[in-house]
Amino acid sequence: MKRGWIAAVMTAVSLALGIFEYAYVERNTAYYLAMLDDADEKMKQNQVYDAQSVAERLEHRYKNEIPLYDIFMYHTEVADVSGHLVMLSKYAMAGDTAEFLATSALTRLEIENIRYSRHLKIDNIL
Amino acid sequence: MLTTVIRTVLVYIIVTAAVRIMGKRQVSDMQTSELVITFIISQVAALPLENVERPLLISIVPIMVMTATEIAVSLLMMKNRRFRSLVCGHPIIVIKDGKILDSQLRKLRISREDLYTLLREQEISDEKDIRYGIIETNGTLSVLPGSSLSGNDISSEDLKDELAGVEKEKAEKGDAR
């Protein structure tokens, strides 16, 4: 029966890790996408400094959360988003709206893929 | 490279703990499900060692879940004979009263030559001296010579149905002639 308890604990820990990862990624990706929307709007309205500020805040927040992401996700997946966020603030600084929006779209796609891959859907399970 | 060293030690500890928790068995004594789980754990454990881009949890969580599942399945098999039969199958009598039962060999997809090999491994040259030859659920051959049995028959619970099936088949063949 001792082994039964060990099995129960292992199952509980695995489920807890899975639920934590799902909740953490879901919450943070929603925030990143909202900030990207905000930055895009500001850039389209030619509010370059505000767009740069939003991009820098997003980049800073993402960088702070990288250590936890690296525990759950492939490191290249995490690094790709980080690289594009760095480019975002530089394009805003340079006032390059087209490049900013293109990079923002790419970053959005990557973040959405990360988010979607954690959903309990049949195509993710199979 | 240092991360690989630390990961290797961690994976070693986790796999050893998992195998220890699942229980001690030699590979030759393992049931099919246990063997499969052992192979899968070894493959999954190697994933973060092959590529440091992969997080360690990508191995740890599947190993924990598989170990827990294996323990749960083995506990259920202890409590429920039908479940055990579903997972592991049941022993099959392939020799009875010195005669090889070809119909049973066909069920197992074993040839007579394979059976003779198993008999020779047990230092038996002639099946005529054997009362019962049984292929166990782990694929090994158990031999019960006539002299070792008291009374007329074996009385193991898990073989009663199998024995009844063999007798019935023999009777049907006798009627058909």
Side-chain angles (χ1 to χ4, degrees):
Chain A
M1 221 33 223
K2 195 169 110 182
R3 288 206 164 101
W5 284 113
I6 293 172
V9 166
M10 281 180 163
T11 308
V13 168
S14 303
L15 282 173
L17 283 169
I19 291 168
F20 173 77
E21 188 213 11
Y22 175 81
Y24 190 79
V25 169
E26 193 71 14
R27 191 192 74 191
N28 285 311
T29 50
Y31 179 78
Y32 300 147
L33 292 172
M35 284 191 86
L36 279 173
D37 287 340
D38 188 24
D40 284 354
E41 270 313 302
K42 288 185 160 63
M43 202 65 186
K44 282 175 191 169
Q45 289 164 13
N46 229 12
Q47 295 167 13
V48 171
Y49 291 117
D50 291 342
Q52 184 187 340
S53 168
V54 172
E56 280 170 357
R57 270 192 294 130
L58 178 55
E59 182 196 334
H60 185 70
R61 172 158 170 160
Y62 187 82
K63 266 191 181 152
N64 285 342
E65 286 161 359
I66 282 175
L68 201 51
Y69 289 140
D70 277 342
I71 292 172
F72 291 104
M73 300 194 306
Y74 281 76
H75 300 175
T76 40
E77 213 178 13
V78 176
D80 285 344
V81 173
S82 182
H84 290 130
L85 287 175
V86 164
M87 285 160 67
L88 217 51
S89 56
K90 301 298 177 243
Y91 285 134
M93 201 191 302
D96 194 337
T97 309
E99 288 291 348
F100 182 94
L101 292 174
T103 307
S104 172
L106 183 58
T107 312
R108 181 187 311 279
L109 186 64
E110 283 170 344
I111 292 171
E112 280 169 355
N113 283 341
I114 288 170
R115 189 183 200 191
Y116 184 76
S117 65
R118 267 83 192 155
H119 288 177
L120 273 178
K121 296 216 158 138
I122 199 80
D123 44 338
N124 285 336
I125 293 168
L126 296 176
Chain B
M1 195 53 78
L2 274 179
T3 47
T4 307
V5 169
I6 295 167
R7 279 184 168 207
T8 309
V9 172
L10 287 171
V11 165
Y12 172 80
I13 292 168
I14 289 155
V15 170
T16 306
V19 171
R20 176 80 176 82
I21 288 165
M22 283 196 291
K24 297 173 198 158
R25 294 254 212 165
Q26 285 185 339
V27 169
S28 58
D29 295 335
M30 281 183 186
Q31 298 294 338
T32 317
S33 61
E34 291 168 330
L35 205 55
V36 167
I37 293 284
T38 308
F39 282 140
I40 294 175
I41 284 178
S42 65
Q43 291 294 313
V44 165
L47 288 176
L49 303 182
E50 286 170 6
N51 188 349
V52 289
E53 295 289 321
R54 293 182 180 139
L56 202 54
L57 280 182
I58 217 171
S59 280
I60 295 175
V61 170
I63 288 173
M64 282 202 294
V65 172
M66 276 190 283
T67 306
T69 308
E70 176 57 31
I71 292 169
V73 165
S74 61
L75 285 172
L76 205 55
M77 286 202 294
M78 269 170 48
K79 295 195 185 309
N80 188 312
R81 227 180 92 207
R82 281 178 93 180
F83 183 74
R84 185 184 168 83
S85 188
L86 187 71
V87 175
C88 301
H90 53 91
I92 304 242
I93 298 171
V94 291
I95 301 173
K96 188 173 182 292
D97 297 328
K99 289 200 176 69
I100 293 175
L101 305 174
D102 291 304
S103 59
Q104 301 287 75
L105 288 183
R106 272 195 297 276
K107 274 187 205 170
L108 292 164
R109 293 188 305 280
I110 293 175
S111 64
R112 277 198 170 216
E113 287 70 31
D114 292 333
L115 185 60
Y116 289 139
T117 304
L118 292 171
L119 286 170
R120 283 194 294 273
E121 281 169 4
Q122 302 230 13
E123 296 174 6
I124 294 166
S125 55
D126 192 355
E127 73 272 15
K128 290 183 180 53
D129 301 325
I130 298 169
R131 184 70 193 275
Y132 289 103
I134 301 157
I135 299 284
E136 304 291 354
T137 54
N138 60 6
T140 55
L141 173 70
S142 299
V143 167
L144 302 173
S147 56
S148 73
L149 293 172
S150 58
N152 287 327
D153 231 328
I154 48 177
S155 56
S156 306
E157 281 283 328
D158 58 341
L159 278 171
K160 276 187 176 163
D161 294 339
E162 175 65 15
L163 203 54
V166 164
E167 295 292 341
K168 190 182 169 189
E169 215 176 287
K170 198 173 156 187
E172 280 168 2
K173 277 193 180 152
D175 289 344
R177 282 191 200 123

